[in-house]
Amino acid sequence: MTNNDTTPVKPPRRRPWWRSHWLLPVRIYLVLLVMLAVFQRSLIYHPHQVEAVRPIDGGFADSQVHDVTVTADDGTALHGWYHPAGARNCVSDAEYSEHLQSDRPVVIVFCGNAGHRGHRDDVLRLFSALDVDTLIFDYRGYGDNEGSPSESAILADSRAIWRHVTDEQQVAPERMIIFGESLGGGVATQLAAHACRSGETPRALVLQATFSSLVDAAGYHYPWLPVRWLLLDRFDSQAVVPEVNCPLLHLHGTADEVVPFELGQQLFARAPQASRSGVPKQFVELPNIGHNNIDRSEFSEYGRALSDFLKQISP
């Protein structure tokens, strides 16, 4: 008996090339790239938003910090605090302006990428103990500020804060100290370079645990991602620090696990050897200190280094 079935046998279906098993890692990698591109700012900025940042949030009495608001170029209200030097109190706008007319130095503090100004009481207390008046503002989207953070917006806001102090409050640039920690170091370096380019050289730039650029810091943590192509916010401090002609102090822990010590050294190496007034740049190593355990008390190694530097640059 013969089999007369002449129906052709269909060849087995081939798996589409995009579903091949060997391409699975590629697909996963591409998905990660898309996610990084879309959500990168949520990975950079970690704001702590509250209805209002109160003095008690920093352990202060109401008279120890004074609320100050600066209007950004786009109309966003930037809320901050003024903390007077020493044991002085400030309870009104008139008293705030009067304090700023003294001959004391005034520091603007730019924070890292997390929390809000109420979490920086240690740096406020340290500058106050060193007889420096302090201004600290939250970035847009942080604390009780509206808006969303981005490099361009934050840098524009920093210049608005500078104008508030130097133009509206008539504080001479040579009394101004610009301070930045971590991400805030990128903001502070850009503002100092802008001020120096404009002929408004500040008294000093003080940096803590900051990077050569955000791209370098991200590349350290994610070496398998093309962050140099994808990052929108770059905070390229090393590109502008050669323009900073005021005295420079950089403090960095050798065990920093967030911003590697080497990136701080890299930024410091790009800065001029000395300020326009002849003060040599200074780099202070904090042995075995990480990113978030720096002791910023008056009598710590950090506090002594800052105190010695302020004495060196005093008129």
Side-chain angles (χ1 to χ4, degrees), residues 197-243:
R197 283 195 302 268
S198 303
E200 297 180 314
T201 302
R203 178 173 293 193
L205 170 64
V206 178
L207 301 174
Q208 175 196 309
T210 193
F211 42 66
S212 47
S213 72
L214 187 58
V215 173
D216 290 341
Y220 171 83
H221 288 286
Y222 306 101
W224 42 277
L225 289 174
V227 294
R228 296 186 183 278
W229 298 349
L230 295 177
L231 274 192
L232 298 173
D233 296 355
R234 310 176 79 84
F235 291 100
D236 194 357
S237 298
Q238 63 186 355
V240 299
V241 76
E243 302 177 75

Side-chain angles (χ1 to χ4, degrees), residues 122 126 289 293-303:
D122 56 347
L126 175 57
I289 295 298
N293 66 337
I294 295 177
D295 181 358
R296 296 194 288 200
S297 64
E298 183 180 359
F299 302 106
S300 65
E301 181 179 358
Y302 182 105

Side-chain angles (χ1 to χ4, degrees), residues 35 55 58 76 94 130 135 149 155 175 198 215 236 241 266 281:
M35 292 180 64
T76 300
L130 298 176
L135 280 160
L155 295 184
R175 286 177 50 207
S198 303
V215 173
D236 194 357
V241 76
Q266 184 175 323
K281 63 180 179 180

Side-chain angles (χ1 to χ4, degrees), residues 277-314:
S277 59
V279 178
K281 63 180 179 180
Q282 299 178 38
F283 190 97
V284 176
E285 296 184 14
L286 301 172
N288 303 314
I289 295 298
H291 193 74
N292 295 313
N293 66 337
I294 295 177
D295 181 358
R296 296 194 288 200
S297 64
E298 183 180 359
F299 302 106
S300 65
E301 181 179 358
Y302 182 105
R304 289 192 299 269
L306 181 56
S307 176
D308 291 344
F309 177 73
L310 295 179
K311 291 174 183 176
Q312 183 181 0
I313 63 173
S314 61

Side-chain angles (χ1 to χ4, degrees), residues 13-214:
R13 294 183 62 185
R14 299 181 61 183
R15 182 185 297 271
W17 66 269
W18 64 86
R19 297 182 60 187
S20 299
H21 291 302
W22 65 271
L23 282 174
L24 180 60
V26 176
R27 295 202 301 271
I28 294 175
Y29 184 73
L30 292 176
V31 169
L32 287 174
L33 290 185
V34 171
M35 292 180 64
L36 174 64
V38 173
F39 299 108
Q40 58 181 276
R41 285 193 171 123
S42 64
L43 299 174
I44 296 171
Y45 306 104
H46 301 280
H48 184 173
Q49 294 180 297
V50 294
E51 184 175 344
V53 182
R54 303 165 302 168
I56 196 173
D57 295 331
F60 296 109
D62 289 349
S63 60
Q64 291 180 297
V65 294
H66 180 64
D67 291 324
V68 180
T69 300
V70 170
T71 303
D73 294 341
D74 65 355
T76 300
L78 304 172
H79 300 292
W81 284 344
Y82 165 71
H83 183 51
R88 301 173 181 87
N89 291 327
C90 183
V91 296
S92 67
D93 289 343
E95 202 166 20
Y96 163 62
S97 296
E98 182 181 346
H99 277 309
L100 290 183
Q101 298 313 307
S102 75
D103 59 356
R104 293 187 300 272
V106 179
V107 62
I108 303 176
V109 172
F110 293 102
C111 304
N113 71 331
H116 57 61
R117 63 188 183 274
H119 302 139
R120 268 70 184 194
D121 60 291
D122 56 347
V123 73
L124 270 64
R125 295 180 195 280
L126 175 57
F127 276 114
S128 180
L130 298 176
D131 206 33
V132 177
D133 291 333
T134 307
L135 280 160
I136 182 170
F137 290 85
D138 283 315
Y139 304 128
R140 57 178 60 213
Y142 282 69
D144 45 3
N145 288 342
E146 296 182 350
S148 299
S150 69
E151 179 183 16
S152 59
I154 289 174
L155 295 184
D157 294 347
S158 73
R159 294 191 289 270
I161 294 167
W162 175 264
R163 292 194 302 270
H164 164 76
V165 183
T166 59
D167 293 350
E168 296 177 24
Q169 297 297 327
Q170 295 294 300
V171 177
E174 56 267 24
R175 286 177 50 207
M176 297 297 302
I177 299 168
I178 302 174
F179 173 92
E181 59 174 358
S182 193
L183 178 78
V187 184
T189 303
Q190 292 279 353
L191 178 59
H194 172 78
C196 290
R197 283 195 302 268
S198 303
E200 297 180 314
T201 302
R203 178 173 293 193
L205 170 64
V206 178
L207 301 174
Q208 175 196 309
T210 193
F211 42 66
S212 47
S213 72
L214 187 58

